[in-house]
């Protein structure tokens, strides 16, 4: 526990002056061990309150507090559990329901031309802000779906418009190449997947039944890929980041993957178990650490210096904008 | 490729100097004790015990709040009863009367939301837990010498103390704290001083998936405290449900005791859970599981010596001496005696070097 002293933490001055206190290297969620970015914890970063810190589930949804917790647990080599929990959450967000797949997508078709550029600029923004890449992945996935829908439309319009389609494809490719600059390795995989998906739909006949089947296989493929990503990274005994999971839970997941059946709830039980492990073990130590005491002091100072009229933000899921890291 | 080491007077002197430098540097730095062993062997219990022998500040720093201990006790109890209910089918048994059936359903639904457990939920479900624990089928599978499931070693203690935990003024005592099972993840360090000598004790997770983290703390270890559970000769690993815990533990011991990392480290072997072992050999003959055992199954001395020898002979380094202790990690006095003796040995080593 003495190691945590390496993390240089100074209290935020109550005068409201930005303290350039922390030079920390924080591992980014999706590129876990390589992508190190250093941040300064400023007064604006205090998106968390005393309550956030004292409640593990709130803490896990607050980006800043969570990153510090991950950093802390990294020192005692128990960060793999937190990362697993987060990525399992991400899996659920990215999950494409297989059966209701095309119904849910129909309304989105109309918005497609507007959505596309926005999502690209979003990605750019996200990159600049160094906000976690999972969001990028989500956008990509939306795009992926959209691309497929586009494909479909074109096929229905007939073969004589092949020329324009090619042009569009080129555009897509350009976007794709933009995307591939993203640091996330899984984004490449997504693109590959979508490319193969296009191929399939091109070869198949224009009967709508088949297309639906293609879409659902595509969705199933994507879910499977995401599930395998987590499985290989955190669950297989060969993995460096293997989590401390009950053997039965592991076998259940393994069986489901082997039988090609990926329900939304596939990681639920393991996530629960790991949450318990984090709660009982790492979180308890985090709470008794000096880092934690420092964070508490920060929130107190912050509350004092802020006028009492300012409402305390409750932690929200997807609070993308709440974390502003200054460089 | 293969250079033969020349034993010249110079090289001997050089090695001697190297050795002395190393010894000296060790005396200046912290005494590092490292707890190793398989899952549920009792490393964290010994860790808790050693902390409890230290001064008030150290104790306060490394002991969780009573709230979290209480919550862990509730979780332990519910997990145990859940395991028992779910294991009935392994013995082709099921609840025969409706009230037990309903009670089990209620208990299992609480287990679904284990993270929300608190005093009032526990108080509400406790009647059902007690009824189920008293159920003949549950008792029969719990006492069945052939265990087909894994259950916390302290479950019986917790079930029989349920009434005490129900009181809203309940404060866990030291035994409760020692008994409660929390899976350790990662590497935990605690610092304290004994007679101005700084000590660091390191606890690790014992499951297979945790072991690859061990290497992070192998440097400059003064003393390895290897913990193995005597009681585990008939059980399998939680992490794969197949490997015998005994052979797994012996395997890691062999690897560690002969490891290059610990050439300079003292080695202490804790043959733990003696109390449970004494009870178990009456019910489960040792030679059923360790087939090369020739002694009498009902003799504690012969059984325990047999297991001890298996470990001691795994040490292939004749110049390394492995101290061993038969322990019950829950027995504070006994652990204190053992720890004091280790401490004295380590401290006297310093003195002899000086």
């Amino acid at each position: 526990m003495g190691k945590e002293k390496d993390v240089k933490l100074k209290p935020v001055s109550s005068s409201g002056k930005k303290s350039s206190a922390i030079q920390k290297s924080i591992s980014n969620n999706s590129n876990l061990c390589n992508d190190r970015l250093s941040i300064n914890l400023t007064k604006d970063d205090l998106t968390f309150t005393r309550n956030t810190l004292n409640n593990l589930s709130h803490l896990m949804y607050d980006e800043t507090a969570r990153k510090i917790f991950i950093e802390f647990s990294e020192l005692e080599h128990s960060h793999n559990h937190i990362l697993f929990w987060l990525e399992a959450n991400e899996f659920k967000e990215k999950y494409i329901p297989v059966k209701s797949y095309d119904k849910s997508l129909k309304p989105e078709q109309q918005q497609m031309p507007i959505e596309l550029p926005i999502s690209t600029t979003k990605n750019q923004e996200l990159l600049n802000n160094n906000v976690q890449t999972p969001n990028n992945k989500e956008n990509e996935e939306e795009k992926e779906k959209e691309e497929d829908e586009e494909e479909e439309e074109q096929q229905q319009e007939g073969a004589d418009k092949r020329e324009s389609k090619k042009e569009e494809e080129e555009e897509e490719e350009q976007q794709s190449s933009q995307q591939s600059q993203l640091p996330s390795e899984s984004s490449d995989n997504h693109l590959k997947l979508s490319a193969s998906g296009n191929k399939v739909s091109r070869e198949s006949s224009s009967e709508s039944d088949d297309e639906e089947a293609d879409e659902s296989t595509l969705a199933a493929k994507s879910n499977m890929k995401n599930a395998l990503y987590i499985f290989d990274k955190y669950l297989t005994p060969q993995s460096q980041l293997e989590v401390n999971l009950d053997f039965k839970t592991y076998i259940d997941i393994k069986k489901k993957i082997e039988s090609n059946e990926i329900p939304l709830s596939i990681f639920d039980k393991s996530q629960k178990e790991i949450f318990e492990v984090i709660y009982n073990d790492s979180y308890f130590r985090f709470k008794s650490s000096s880092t934690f005491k420092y964070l508490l002091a920060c929130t107190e100072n912050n509350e004092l210096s802020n006028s009492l009229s300012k409402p305390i933000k409750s932690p929200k899921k997807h609070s993308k904008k709440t974390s502003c890291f200054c460089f | 490729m293969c250079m033969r080491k020349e034993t010249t007077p110079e090289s001997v002197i050089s090695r001697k100097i190297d050795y002395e430098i190393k010894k000296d540097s060790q005396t200046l730095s912290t005494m590092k004790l490292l707890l190793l062993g398989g899952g549920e062997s009792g490393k964290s219990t010994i860790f808790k015990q050693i902390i409890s022998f230290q001064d008030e500040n150290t104790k306060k720093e490394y002991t969780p709040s009573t709230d979290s201990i209480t919550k862990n006790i509730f979780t332990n109890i519910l997990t145990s009863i859940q395991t028992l209910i779910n294991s009935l089918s392994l013995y082709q048994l099921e609840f025969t009367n409706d009230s037990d059936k309903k009670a089990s359903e209620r208990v299992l639904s609480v287990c679904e939301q284990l993270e929300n457990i608190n005093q009032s939920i526990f108080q509400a479900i406790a009647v059902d837990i007690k009824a189920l624990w008293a159920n003949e089928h549950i008792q029969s599978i719990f006492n069945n010498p052939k265990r087909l499931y894994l259950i916390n070693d302290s479950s019986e203690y917790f079930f029989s103390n349920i009434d005490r935990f129900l009181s809203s003024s309940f404060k866990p005592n030291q035994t409760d704290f020692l008994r409660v099972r929390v899976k350790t993840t990662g590497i935990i360090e605690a610092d304290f001083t004994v007679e101005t000598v700084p000590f660091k004790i390191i606890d690790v997770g014992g499951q297979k998936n945790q072991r690859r983290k061990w290497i992070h703390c192998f440097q400059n270890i003064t003393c390895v405290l290897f913990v193995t559970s005597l009681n585990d000769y008939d059980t399998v690993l939680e992490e794969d449900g197949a490997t015998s815990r005994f052979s797994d533990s012996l395997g890691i011991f062999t690897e560690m005791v002969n490891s290059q990392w610990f050439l300079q480290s003292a080695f202490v072997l804790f043959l733990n859970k003696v109390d449970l072992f004494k009870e178990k050999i009456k019910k489960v003959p040792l030679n059923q599981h360790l087939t090369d055992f020739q002694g009498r199954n009902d003799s504690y001395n012969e059984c325990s010596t047999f297991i001890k020898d298996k470990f001691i002979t795994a040490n292939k380094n004749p110049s390394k001496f492995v101290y061993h202790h038969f322990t019950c990690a829950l027995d504070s006095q006994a652990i204190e005696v053992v720890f004091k003796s280790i401490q004295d040995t380590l401290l006297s080593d310093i003195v002899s070097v000086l």
Side-chain angles (χ1 to χ4, degrees):
Chain A
M1 253 177 219
K3 279 183 190 168
E4 78 207 25
K5 281 161 203 158
D6 297 346
V7 183
K8 284 164 206 141
L9 296 166
K10 283 177 201 163
V12 170
S13 56
S14 51
S15 61
K17 213 173 140 188
K18 279 188 180 182
S19 68
S20 58
I22 309 180
Q23 270 291 316
K24 280 163 70 97
S25 41
I26 300 275
S27 59
N28 192 328
N29 187 18
S30 74
N31 219 345
L32 297 160
C33 291
N34 318 320
D35 193 19
R36 291 181 161 263
L37 51 116
S38 57
I39 58 152
N40 291 325
L41 182 63
T42 68
K43 207 165 158 288
D44 301 333
D45 296 328
L46 287 172
T47 55
F48 49 88
T49 63
R50 178 175 270 273
N51 286 338
T52 321
L53 293 173
N54 282 317
N55 183 321
L56 179 57
S57 22
H58 288 178
L59 187 145
M60 295 287 256
Y61 284 115
D62 182 278
E63 228 169 285
T64 320
R66 183 181 68 214
K67 277 186 176 177
I68 295 168
F69 182 35
I70 293 175
E71 178 81 354
F72 170 84
S73 61
E74 233 174 331
L75 291 175
E76 52 158 58
H77 307 283
S78 61
H79 58 299
N80 54 341
H81 294 102
I82 307 168
L83 301 178
F84 165 74
W85 189 89
L86 286 172
E87 295 223 49
N89 254 10
E90 216 178 276
F91 167 81
K92 285 172 99 172
E93 284 164 17
K94 287 193 291 190
Y95 188 83
I96 309 164
V98 176
K99 275 172 193 167
S100 58
Y101 178 65
D102 24 358
K103 275 175 199 166
S104 65
L105 262 173
K106 290 257 152 87
E108 277 178 32
Q109 258 178 340
Q110 302 299 320
Q111 298 171 357
M112 187 245 308
I114 313 157
E115 276 273 324
L116 257 175
I118 287 175
S119 62
T120 354
T121 47
K122 246 190 207 167
N123 279 341
Q124 224 45 54
E125 254 177 47
L126 291 170
L127 257 180
N128 293 338
N129 291 338
N130 269 303
V131 180
Q132 296 170 339
T133 31
N135 300 320
N136 297 349
K137 279 192 226 159
E138 270 168 51
N139 285 333
E140 259 173 58
E141 211 149 85
E142 277 168 35
K143 217 187 104 187
E144 194 181 295
K145 290 178 208 166
E146 284 150 9
E147 280 173 7
D148 293 332
E149 292 294 331
E150 206 173 9
E151 193 84 26
E152 219 183 281
E153 269 188 324
Q154 285 154 2
Q155 284 201 345
Q156 281 163 355
E157 278 165 28
D160 45 4
K161 288 190 180 174
R162 281 253 166 96
E163 293 289 323
S164 61
K165 188 180 146 192
K166 264 181 193 166
E167 275 173 28
E168 274 186 53
E169 263 179 10
E170 271 168 26
E171 266 178 45
E172 273 175 33
E173 265 171 35
Q174 277 179 353
Q175 279 159 4
S176 301
S177 63
Q178 272 183 358
Q179 297 262 325
S180 62
Q181 288 167 4
L182 291 175
S184 153
E185 62 173 270
S186 53
S187 67
D188 291 344
N189 296 337
H190 272 295
L191 289 167
K192 273 177 211 155
L193 192 79
S194 78
S196 65
N198 285 344
K199 220 182 205 171
V200 174
S201 64
R202 209 170 292 148
E203 281 161 3
S204 66
S205 69
S206 58
E207 276 174 57
S208 59
D209 276 3
D210 276 11
E211 274 163 21
E212 272 172 36
D214 285 339
E215 279 162 27
S216 59
T217 46
L218 195 67
K221 256 188 194 172
S222 159
N223 293 337
M224 170 57 102
K225 200 179 68 66
N226 293 334
L228 272 179
Y229 169 73
I230 293 182
F231 187 82
D232 290 343
K233 194 162 172 187
Y234 298 105
L235 303 179
T236 45
Q238 296 84 30
S239 158
Q240 281 296 312
L241 289 169
E242 189 193 349
V243 293
N244 203 340
L245 204 60
D246 191 84
F247 147 74
K248 277 181 201 149
T249 322
Y250 167 74
I251 294 293
D252 279 351
I253 297 173
K254 202 178 165 200
K255 269 185 194 156
K256 277 183 185 143
I257 288 181
E258 274 165 2
S259 61
N260 234 330
E261 156 205 352
I262 312 288
L264 177 62
S265 60
I266 184 166
F267 295 117
D268 278 10
K269 191 160 182 276
S270 55
Q271 228 188 334
K272 240 182 202 178
E273 252 176 57
I274 293 302
F275 189 86
E276 280 293 307
V277 169
I278 301 170
Y279 185 89
N280 289 329
D281 205 51
S282 329
Y283 181 59
F284 146 67
R285 283 192 299 272
F286 182 55
K287 274 181 96 169
S288 44
S289 70
S290 52
T291 311
F292 189 81
K293 277 164 203 150
Y294 160 76
L295 292 175
L296 276 184
C298 282
T299 58
E300 266 170 34
N301 280 342
N302 195 37
E303 276 160 35
L304 277 176
S305 64
N306 284 342
S307 62
L308 287 167
S309 59
K310 196 181 169 186
I312 295 162
K313 274 184 198 166
S314 63
K316 279 178 204 162
K317 223 176 170 179
H318 290 304
S319 52
K320 284 175 197 164
K321 289 291 163 195
T322 48
S323 65
C324 321
F325 297 127
C326 313
F327 291 88
Chain B
M1 284 288 279
C2 31
M3 294 250 289
R4 263 187 59 208
K5 272 185 189 168
E6 299 284 341
T7 14
T8 58
E10 285 86 352
S11 74
V12 172
I13 292 167
S14 155
R15 254 183 282 160
K16 203 175 171 188
I17 292 170
D18 284 352
Y19 177 72
E20 274 168 6
I21 290 172
K22 204 159 187 191
K23 266 264 161 126
D24 280 349
S25 67
Q26 273 182 353
T27 60
L28 296 170
S29 60
T30 318
M31 288 275 169
K32 279 168 94 178
L33 312 181
L34 173 63
L35 281 158
L36 293 179
E40 288 184 82
S41 55
K43 294 177 296 301
S44 297
T45 315
I46 291 179
F47 183 81
K48 289 179 203 169
Q49 288 277 23
I50 292 175
I51 296 297
S52 76
F53 306 144
Q54 311 309 323
D55 58 292
E56 285 303 317
N57 280 342
T58 314
K59 268 195 261 183
K60 213 179 153 196
E61 196 178 340
Y62 298 107
T63 309
S65 68
T66 51
D67 281 359
S68 71
I69 300 173
T70 312
K71 204 185 156 203
N72 284 331
I73 292 174
F74 295 160
T75 317
N76 276 197
I77 292 175
L78 280 160
T79 319
S80 299
I81 196 77
Q82 185 186 23
T83 308
L84 288 171
I85 295 170
N86 291 336
S87 304
L88 282 176
S89 60
L90 298 174
Y91 296 86
Q92 278 81 44
L93 289 172
E94 56 178 38
F95 293 117
T96 38
N97 65 42
D98 273 353
S99 72
D100 281 346
K101 244 181 224 166
K102 288 203 173 108
S104 73
E105 281 160 17
R106 284 192 292 268
V107 168
L108 290 181
S109 78
V110 172
C111 290
E112 283 297 300
Q113 274 142 9
L114 213 52
E115 66 271 17
N116 300 326
I117 191 77
N118 58 34
Q119 185 89 32
S120 54
I121 296 177
F122 188 75
Q123 278 167 344
I125 201 74
V127 185
D128 289 332
I129 298 175
K130 282 200 278 184
L132 291 170
W133 173 240
N135 177 284
E136 49 172 346
H137 289 330
I138 294 284
Q139 279 297 317
S140 81
I141 69 162
F142 186 77
N143 293 314
N144 194 319
K146 206 169 184 295
R147 280 263 170 97
L148 302 174
Y149 55 93
L150 294 171
I151 193 162
N152 187 340
D153 283 329
S154 291
S155 44
E156 192 169 7
Y157 169 83
F158 284 128
F159 284 129
S160 50
N161 281 276
I162 251 182
D163 286 326
R164 195 159 52 85
F165 308 138
L166 286 175
S167 149
S168 41
S169 61
F170 165 69
K171 287 267 175 295
N173 57 32
Q174 181 67 8
T175 315
D176 298 333
F177 173 52
L178 290 172
R179 286 270 188 178
V180 79
R181 157 95 182 132
V182 175
K183 237 188 214 178
T184 309
T185 57
I187 294 162
I188 297 112
E189 297 177 356
D191 297 289
F192 54 90
T193 46
V194 178
E195 295 162 25
T196 71
V197 180
F199 271 75
K200 185 191 277 298
I201 180 151
I202 307 165
D203 185 19
V204 297
Q207 280 78 28
K208 270 190 172 170
N209 55 56
Q210 298 295 307
R211 292 179 200 160
R212 67 175 62 89
K213 298 172 179 175
W214 289 4
I215 191 91
H216 296 292
C217 51
F218 279 180
Q219 227 155 20
N220 297 327
I221 294 297
T222 325
C223 178
V224 177
L225 311 176
F226 193 94
V227 188
T228 185
S229 164
L230 281 173
N231 184 40
D232 276 344
Y233 63 87
D234 70 333
T235 49
V236 291
L237 289 182
E238 180 208 46
E239 48 269 47
D240 66 4
T243 318
S244 143
R245 285 201 191 197
F246 173 78
S247 50
D248 176 68
S249 183
L250 186 58
I252 38 176
F253 179 79
T254 313
E255 197 181 317
M256 293 302 147
V257 79
N258 299 310
S259 159
Q260 292 298 310
W261 287 100
F262 303 126
L263 281 177
Q264 307 293 328
S265 322
F267 228 91
V268 181
L269 172 66
F270 286 81
L271 297 142
N272 199 21
K273 305 201 186 182
V274 168
D275 52 335
L276 295 173
F277 181 69
K278 280 180 185 160
E279 290 304 310
K280 187 172 268 182
I281 52 172
K282 290 179 199 160
K283 289 197 267 178
V284 188
L286 187 67
N287 65 7
Q288 269 185 11
H289 294 274
L290 305 178
T291 42
D292 49 343
F293 175 60
Q294 305 287 335
R296 284 177 295 137
N297 280 319
D298 56 350
S299 156
Y300 163 71
N301 274 339
E302 286 181 29
C303 289
S304 58
T305 313
F306 176 76
I307 294 185
K308 181 207 80 187
D309 289 344
K310 284 249 175 193
F311 277 87
I312 299 298
T313 52
N315 172 18
K316 302 294 176 215
N317 182 354
S319 60
K320 190 176 201 80
F321 187 76
V322 177
Y323 300 85
H324 70 269
H325 299 276
F326 290 99
T327 56
C328 166
L330 296 164
D331 184 343
S332 302
Q333 283 179 329
I335 296 293
E336 186 157 19
V337 170
V338 171
F339 182 64
K340 282 268 150 59
S341 80
I342 296 170
Q343 198 176 290
D344 292 344
T345 317
L346 296 177
L347 292 175
S348 68
D349 278 358
I350 300 181
V351 176
S352 67
V353 169
L354 290 175

